[in-house]
Amino acid sequence: MARDKEYNRREFINRGARFTLGLSLAGVGVAAAVNAGSEKYLWQIDPFKCTQCGRCATDCVLSPSAVKCVHAYDICGYCDLCGGYFKPGVTDLDTGAEKQLCPAAAIERKFIEEPYFEYIIDEELCIGCAKCVKGCSAFGNGSLHLQIRHDICVNCNECSIARVCPSDAISRVPASEPYMIKGDFTANESGEAGA
Amino acid sequence: MIRKNYRLGFLVLMVFAFLALNAQQRFPKPEFESGYEQPNTTTPEPRTAGMEVFDVIVLFGVMALATWLILKKRSRRGVLWLSVFTLLYFGFYRNGCICPIGSIQNVTLALFDPGYKISITVLLFFLLPLVFALFYGRTFCAAACPLGAIQDLVVIRPISVSSWVRKTLSFIPHIYIGLAILFAATGTDFIICRYDPFVGIFRTDGPYLMIGLGIAFLVLGMFFARPYCRVFCPYSVLLGFMSHFSKKHITITPSECINCKLCANSCPFDAIEAPIDEKVRTESTVRKNLRNYVIFGLLVPVWIFAGGFAVSKAHVFLSKAHPDVYLSELLIAQPELREDTENLDIQAFLESGKSMDQLVEEASVIRSKFRTGGWYLGGYLGLVLGIMLMNQFVLRKRKDYIPHKRDCFSCGRCMDYCPVGEQSGDRKSGIVKAKQ
């Protein structure tokens, strides 16, 4: 009899605790659900905040990095002397490897018509170091810029590059608009620069 | 002064914005005569577009199946194959992200940062295993967690660890989840994901430290079974709470325990509690225990206060994990670093046009959050410690070998070892040959 009583008491406590835990779980769920959406989020670089520090190449969990240089052809000047392709101070404009800025030789230079050249990024080779981006932004139109390639990115819960990005250029973006390609995406859309 | 600086900052910002807009027109786009066709900038689709909903369904399915295998079918083999599937699917195919363990931080951030929109699938990943644990014990750990699965498969020669070591180590997950919530709530870092030891193995890529940590855990796990689950896993704290009061839980024997001790030897996690000898449980011990229980119970508020005080004192140190706080401290302590062109963080800050006052103000807001959070974290840890000390004096009546509901992963090994067969009707007919 005494044993039954003890078991009854224990069962009663258990049931009460279970109810309380269930209730608090529901509470947390509802409170979080207020801030929930069905949209999925991906990481992306705001090209107007990016300062081309070079950490995208070194701090991604993948090697080589899921960050690649992309070319927004719409705003490219097709320059012969491309600040993103040539090292500063180069005078003979040919495709000699020692004259190229890109350490991975990932930029292809193609003659279109006098005096215009097209520059194509080979994403297989690109390591996302942003050296060309820096050159292009300093001397050209800034048509070369970094983007996270979602076919490579494993979409970590917290992007390890975002954590070390000095200019907070990497943020979560809705999966319906996963890229910020310059041209389509302007500084006005970019939170701070357009403020 | 602040206002003036703010204005100046704004002006600089405007100039930068102007330059950024104008930079595009430095060289106008040429008009080609040779019929050149401009290629389009590609925007490849995400690797796993639209798989999240499917993942939630798989998670639910795996847990439902695991629960059925454990509670109804009583099949260790079934659980084993299910965990192999989990390892392959959630681990190697889906790369271990997102997992319920890491989702603690997403939920925390959603609760504290109104600007953060949590995806409903992530929320379900967080809630589903806990709901299952509340009803059926930790069946998530048994078969639906890729981190558990990879460790469970390498258990070769598990050694038994004495209970005081286990109890002391079981305090670590509380610290871990506390810190994880504090860091997530202040928007500092997601430490659970950062120090996830197996995600590098799942991706077969990652920093050396991450891969090395994973291999170390696996080697350790051959002898000390499931080290991450037992000593670190922050989600285990929540699962443990739920499972402790679960409605149904795995039972070792299908009918009646014959106290053969085979199950206790089979459990690699020392999660099976032996019966308590009635001789030990004399009236005087019970009375002594009760007295100690009450004394330690009265001490709990002291622990809570001491913990809160200690951790809130450490808020200066803890808050340095936040990049803004770190940067502002660095700039105050060593203003000469402003000239250091090698320091990317400082250069980026100077370029951003944000004023020092702004940075310091932001940093102090974050720091005060850490102070408040420190009180909660320390108080919680004090409470846990107090209850752990109280529980030392609990000596419940126990006649059979039963799994410890909080620590048991419901892996089902003990069921396999139990020699008592499924028995309906006559109990006395005794031992039925173990199914093998």
Side-chain angles (χ1 to χ4, degrees):
Chain A
M1 188 62 196
R3 195 185 149 167
D4 280 354
K5 220 183 209 167
E6 186 165 326
Y7 273 88
N8 277 338
R9 194 180 63 208
R10 209 181 283 180
E11 187 44 44
F12 175 75
I13 292 172
N14 269 354
R15 207 174 289 169
R18 190 156 62 234
F19 186 71
T20 316
L21 283 174
L23 217 57
S24 45
L25 205 57
V28 169
V30 168
V34 170
N35 224 354
S38 56
E39 183 86 85
K40 194 203 170 190
Y41 286 83
L42 301 164
W43 295 98
Q44 194 49 271
I45 301 173
D46 183 335
F48 294 100
K49 287 187 188 170
C50 171
T51 52
Q52 302 99 35
C53 68
R55 285 185 184 162
C56 284
T58 53
D59 283 84
C60 183
V61 293
L62 300 177
S63 51
S65 170
V67 175
K68 303 286 173 201
C69 175
V70 299
H71 198 175
Y73 296 99
D74 271 342
I75 56 168
C76 177
Y78 290 83
C79 316
D80 187 3
L81 173 55
C82 172
Y85 185 80
F86 292 109
K87 280 183 182 162
V90 169
T91 45
D92 300 334
L93 303 181
D94 57 49
T95 56
E98 77 282 2
K99 292 166 190 164
Q100 294 182 25
L101 201 55
C102 179
I107 308 179
E108 191 196 338
R109 171 177 151 102
K110 215 162 89 185
F111 176 71
I112 305 287
E113 61 182 60
E114 204 56 50
Y116 301 127
F117 287 82
E118 184 189 61
Y119 298 90
I120 305 160
I121 310 288
D122 183 347
E123 289 188 10
E124 290 282 310
L125 297 177
C126 177
I127 55 167
C129 70
K131 288 204 167 82
C132 60
V133 179
K134 203 161 198 136
C136 179
S137 308
F139 306 112
N141 288 353
S143 58
L144 293 173
H145 60 95
L146 293 183
Q147 286 287 284
I148 292 171
R149 294 316 240 175
H150 294 302
D151 52 335
I152 309 170
C153 174
V154 290
N155 198 24
C156 297
N157 203 3
E158 191 186 44
C159 176
S160 66
I161 315 171
R163 200 174 59 229
V164 294
C165 176
S167 53
D168 288 332
I170 302 183
S171 59
R172 294 180 179 88
V173 297
S176 52
E177 288 172 49
Y179 289 95
M180 297 179 174
I181 306 285
K182 273 190 181 177
D184 302 336
F185 178 80
T186 56
N188 286 325
E189 289 177 57
S190 151
E192 275 169 42
Chain B
M1 186 63 196
I2 294 172
R3 204 180 163 77
K4 205 171 170 189
N5 268 335
Y6 176 75
R7 272 198 190 154
L8 193 72
F10 189 71
L11 199 70
V12 172
L13 209 69
M14 287 302 285
V15 170
F16 267 99
F18 186 68
L19 283 177
L21 279 172
N22 272 342
Q24 294 174 16
Q25 287 138 27
R26 213 178 267 163
F27 303 100
K29 194 178 165 191
E31 279 171 27
F32 297 108
E33 286 150 12
S34 59
Y36 161 73
E37 260 185 55
Q38 173 196 315
N40 279 324
T41 311
T42 56
T43 52
E45 282 286 300
R47 259 166 82 260
T48 53
M51 281 200 77
E52 292 71 33
V53 179
F54 183 66
D55 280 348
V56 174
I57 296 169
V58 173
L59 179 75
F60 184 83
V62 168
M63 281 195 300
L65 192 56
T67 308
W68 178 73
L69 283 169
I70 291 160
L71 295 180
K72 277 270 181 295
K73 195 91 186 358
R74 301 180 55 78
S75 161
R76 164 68 192 157
R77 180 170 297 197
V79 174
L80 186 67
W81 283 112
L82 199 56
S83 67
V84 170
F85 166 79
T86 295
L87 179 60
L88 293 178
Y89 181 75
F90 285 116
F92 288 104
Y93 180 62
R94 298 294 280 117
N95 292 145
C97 225
I98 173 137
C99 80
I101 306 174
S103 71
I104 297 170
Q105 302 158 126
N106 302 58
V107 172
T108 310
L109 196 58
L111 293 179
F112 283 87
D113 179 3
Y116 174 69
K117 287 253 176 291
I118 188 173
S119 154
I120 205 93
T121 51
V122 176
L123 185 59
L124 285 173
F125 255 80
F126 173 75
L127 289 175
L128 278 178
L130 294 176
V131 171
F132 265 85
L134 192 58
F135 285 96
Y136 307 112
R138 295 169 70 171
T139 52
F140 166 74
C141 302
C145 176
L147 284 81
I150 195 171
Q151 291 174 89
D152 210 79
L153 293 174
V154 298
V155 175
I156 298 171
R157 279 198 89 79
I159 50 160
S160 189
V161 182
S162 61
S163 100
W164 70 268
V165 176
R166 274 186 288 121
K167 279 188 179 147
T168 314
L169 290 178
S170 74
F171 191 61
I172 297 175
H174 292 279
I175 304 177
Y176 200 175
I177 191 176
L179 282 176
I181 290 176
L182 181 64
F183 280 5
T186 51
T188 306
D189 201 351
F190 276 16
I191 53 171
I192 299 175
C193 300
R194 192 169 170 188
Y195 299 108
D196 180 338
F198 300 113
V199 79
I201 294 175
F202 293 152
R203 290 178 187 143
T204 57
D205 193 0
Y208 287 117
L209 182 75
M210 199 180 235
I211 304 267
L213 202 66
I215 291 172
F217 264 105
L218 289 182
V219 172
L220 178 67
M222 292 177 187
F223 311 105
F224 182 80
R226 287 203 184 208
Y228 185 77
C229 308
R230 284 159 82 194
V231 184
F232 294 100
C233 180
Y235 200 53
S236 76
V237 172
L238 302 177
L239 286 168
F241 283 148
M242 300 296 160
S243 178
H244 192 83
F245 301 104
S246 56
K247 198 173 171 65
K248 275 189 134 182
H249 191 266
I250 183 174
T251 51
I252 299 169
T253 162
S255 51
E256 199 153 290
C257 181
I258 54 166
N259 283 340
C260 68
K261 212 190 166 194
L262 279 174
C263 57
N265 291 336
S266 80
C267 182
F269 317 112
D270 300 311
I272 294 176
E273 291 184 304
I276 283 174
D277 200 341
E278 279 298 316
K279 280 178 212 149
V280 180
R281 217 169 163 279
T282 58
E283 203 150 305
S284 69
T285 6
V286 168
R287 208 178 307 122
K288 215 169 84 188
N289 273 342
L290 185 65
R291 203 189 61 208
N292 283 335
Y293 191 77
V294 170
I295 291 173
F296 275 86
L298 291 174
L299 275 175
V300 168
V302 180
W303 295 124
I304 294 177
F305 181 79
F309 182 75
V311 179
S312 72
K313 278 281 157 203
H315 78 279
V316 176
F317 172 73
L318 286 173
S319 65
K320 277 184 195 165
H322 196 287
D324 287 354
V325 178
Y326 180 80
L327 188 66
S328 67
E329 282 227 318
L330 191 69
L331 279 173
I332 291 168
Q334 292 165 277
E336 72 275 9
L337 282 178
R338 282 167 174 269
E339 316 301 324
D340 183 4
T341 49
E342 298 285 295
N343 193 318
L344 296 172
D345 297 287
I346 291 177
Q347 290 313 313
F349 161 70
L350 294 175
E351 261 178 55
S352 74
K354 207 156 68 169
S355 75
M356 191 65 201
D357 288 331
Q358 259 175 301
L359 181 72
V360 171
E361 199 181 304
E362 279 174 21
S364 66
V365 168
I366 294 161
R367 180 161 281 178
S368 74
K369 280 185 190 166
F370 265 92
R371 190 200 314 244
T372 325
W375 271 105
Y376 283 109
L377 170 60
Y380 168 71
L381 292 180
L383 177 69
V384 171
L385 182 70
I387 291 175
M388 275 170 81
L389 291 174
M390 276 168 75
N391 279 341
Q392 277 194 295
F393 302 103
V394 173
L395 201 60
R396 286 230 174 99
K397 271 188 206 139
R398 202 163 42 228
K399 285 171 75 183
D400 304 335
Y401 281 89
I402 49 168
H404 189 292
K405 279 170 94 178
R406 205 176 52 224
D407 294 345
C408 171
F409 297 119
S410 298
C411 72
R413 284 184 179 86
C414 49
M415 301 187 308
D416 242 13
Y417 279 81
C418 182
V420 180
E422 204 108 22
Q423 200 64 5
S424 57
D426 188 13
R427 278 189 196 148
K428 286 234 168 99
S429 69
I431 305 167
V432 176
K433 225 174 145 307
K435 36 182 176 149
Q436 261 298 321

